[in-house]
Amino acid sequence: IDFEAGYQYQFNLTINTWESPEMTLTSTSIDPWDNGEGHDGVMSNTIAFADPTLKSLLLNEYKQERVEHEESTEYVRTETKIDSNGDGEISYEEAKYIYELVITGSSSISNIAGLEYFSNLESFVVANTAMPSNLDLSKITSLTIVQLHMVSGTTSIDFTNNPNLTNVYCGMNSSLQTLNLSGATSLERLTCSSNAIEVLDLSNNLSLNEVSLNGESSLQTVYVHSSQNTEGWKFPEGVTPTVKSN
């Protein structure tokens, strides 16, 4: 294909993984570029956040530098704001340098769309803040540590696509009923206390070695895989792990 300047190319692909994988080009189209309103045909390099409150908080946050040691990783706050050029926006390039975000205070965030562009974000800490009812963290695939403490409004958290996640702490989130950890296949440590979770499925988290659920008073059922060694895991009184049958 000879690409020509000033044209937008669209390719529709069908990918079949049944038996032997195949990829089929089903259609193509080539259209002249139109000038977008206010952009003169130029794509924006800044992140469009769905919630202005989240954007405002991030504009006042400072960058974190990651220093790796032999046994641990240290995050060091620098004096440079995420918005390093001071234009009142956060670009995709600026977001790449953020490894840790800490959101605290009485703010109310209705939508976290835009955080998925923080492609190197490893640690996400939220405390004393109202967050969306369905908190979808599955799009931030770089996450390794998540801590949620006294978060209000959130009834479910989605970790269905977080293969790098190793540590999760959820404490005193009174509305939290559902914690979907099915995609956190590298999860090693889990602590849940004083939430409203009744059923927790850990059968897909085969790397778990430290689990503390004894402060989870609403918990009734914990599903595990037959290969998991639950010795040393802490459960609420009267709750024993149930092997999940596939």
Side-chain angles (χ1 to χ4, degrees):
I1 299 173
D2 294 323
F3 293 101
E4 184 178 348
Y7 286 82
Q8 172 180 291
Y9 294 76
Q10 177 174 313
F11 301 89
N12 295 322
L13 300 176
T14 298
I15 302 175
N16 173 25
T17 58
W18 184 259
E19 296 182 351
S20 59
E22 14 179 88
M23 182 181 294
T24 306
L25 181 63
T26 56
S27 66
T28 63
S29 64
I30 304 173
D31 301 308
W33 276 54
D34 293 322
N35 289 334
E37 291 184 17
H39 294 288
D40 296 323
V42 179
M43 290 288 289
S44 172
N45 188 40
T46 60
I47 299 173
F49 292 96
D51 187 344
T53 300
L54 175 61
K55 179 180 177 180
S56 177
L57 287 171
L58 295 174
L59 286 173
N60 290 294
E61 266 288 337
Y62 288 88
K63 286 186 177 181
Q64 303 287 331
E65 287 193 2
R66 182 179 57 180
V67 180
E68 295 187 1
H69 302 285
E70 194 169 314
E71 296 183 355
S72 64
T73 300
E74 180 183 354
Y75 297 93
V76 180
R77 180 176 290 274
T78 68
E79 291 303 313
T80 305
K81 287 189 175 182
I82 297 176
D83 175 23
S84 57
N85 62 5
D87 65 352
E89 302 290 343
I90 297 177
S91 69
Y92 300 106
E93 185 67 20
E94 288 169 330
K96 286 196 311 184
Y97 292 96
I98 307 307
Y99 299 100
E100 180 187 42
L101 278 179
V102 179
I103 298 175
T104 62
S106 57
S107 300
S108 180
I109 297 172
S110 61
N111 196 320
I112 64 166
L115 287 185
E116 66 271 19
Y117 297 111
F118 286 64
S119 56
N120 292 311
L121 185 62
E122 297 175 352
S123 178
F124 185 54
V125 179
V126 182
N128 300 298
T129 303
M131 296 294 281
S133 174
N134 299 309
L135 184 57
D136 185 359
L137 297 177
S138 65
K139 295 178 181 178
I140 314 175
T141 58
S142 56
L143 285 174
T144 62
I145 300 171
V146 171
Q147 297 183 34
L148 302 169
H149 180 69
M150 296 183 69
V151 172
S152 60
T154 297
T155 59
S156 65
I157 303 176
D158 186 344
F159 289 116
T160 54
N161 186 35
N162 299 85
N164 297 303
L165 194 64
T166 58
N167 294 267
V168 170
Y169 168 80
C170 292
M172 301 183 71
N173 308 299
S174 58
S175 301
L176 182 59
Q177 302 172 12
T178 304
L179 186 61
N180 189 336
L181 294 163
S182 60
T185 51
S186 299
L187 189 65
E188 297 175 359
R189 285 175 286 278
L190 173 66
T191 300
C192 289
S193 177
S194 302
N195 302 296
I197 301 171
E198 296 183 358
V199 178
L200 186 60
D201 189 345
L202 304 178
S203 62
N204 207 42
N205 310 111
L206 303 184
S207 297
L208 271 174
N209 51 56
E210 293 182 28
V211 175
S212 178
L213 306 171
N214 53 330
E216 201 64 62
S217 58
S218 299
L219 195 61
Q220 300 176 14
T221 305
V222 180
Y223 290 110
V224 298
H225 191 274
S226 58
S227 65
Q228 287 173 309
N229 179 8
T230 61
E231 185 178 354
W233 292 16
K234 298 176 181 178
F235 299 96
E237 185 176 351
V239 176
T240 56
T242 301
V243 174
K244 187 175 183 179
S245 56
N246 295 325

